[in-house]
Amino acid sequence: MAVRAVRGAVQLERDDAGHMRDRVGGLLTAVLERNGLVPDDLISVWFTATPDLHSDFPAVAVRELGIVDVPLICAQELDVAGAMPRVVRLLAHVETDLPKSAVAHVYLGAAAALRKDIAQ
């Protein structure tokens, strides 16, 4: 079994705690489903949020999914002029038999424009 990194991102319509939990929970669920993973395959998850998001921690969404034994951390994304607003990004480390080339990186909605080279 290998350790792989999976990237993902989602853009929020507004800075609202409930909306953030819904969209981030959907992002992690999509990452798991598209890669044939279950919560026990998660090693850790890093989240970043753009500086215009401050209503809640993205990690709260994962805890609300019932995933309570995986290390999570949140950080603020760099404040770069012209960057897409209201974006939560994730980097999940997982155990999987998938080769690197088969890992599905998940960019939902408008966030797909961030990484057209790897978004699936």
Side-chain angles (χ1 to χ4, degrees):
M1 183 93 35
V3 174
R4 301 284 184 227
V6 185
R7 288 289 320 271
V10 63
Q11 184 182 40
L12 280 60
E13 283 80 36
R14 61 192 174 283
D15 183 23
D16 172 80
H19 179 60
M20 180 182 290
R21 288 189 301 268
D22 181 56
R23 298 300 303 265
V24 172
L27 174 62
L28 184 63
T29 299
V31 164
L32 294 173
E33 289 176 356
R34 292 184 191 179
N35 287 287
L37 302 169
V38 297
D40 280 347
D41 296 325
L42 291 169
I43 296 170
S44 64
V45 184
W46 282 79
F47 292 97
T48 64
T50 51
D52 51 3
L53 295 173
H54 38 77
S55 62
D56 207 349
F57 296 100
V60 171
V62 178
R63 299 296 183 224
E64 288 190 350
L65 290 175
I67 300 171
V68 297
D69 60 349
V70 174
L72 308 172
I73 193 163
C74 300
Q76 188 175 79
E77 190 72 33
L78 294 172
D79 190 10
V80 176
M84 184 180 288
R86 301 177 315 280
V87 175
V88 175
R89 293 170 173 87
L90 72 74
L91 174 64
H93 297 96
V94 302
E95 292 180 317
T96 181
D97 289 325
L98 291 174
K100 283 183 191 180
S101 61
V103 171
H105 303 282
V106 180
Y107 290 77
L108 300 178
L114 295 171
R115 289 299 306 265
K116 293 178 184 177
D117 58 324
I118 63 172
Q120 298 185 13

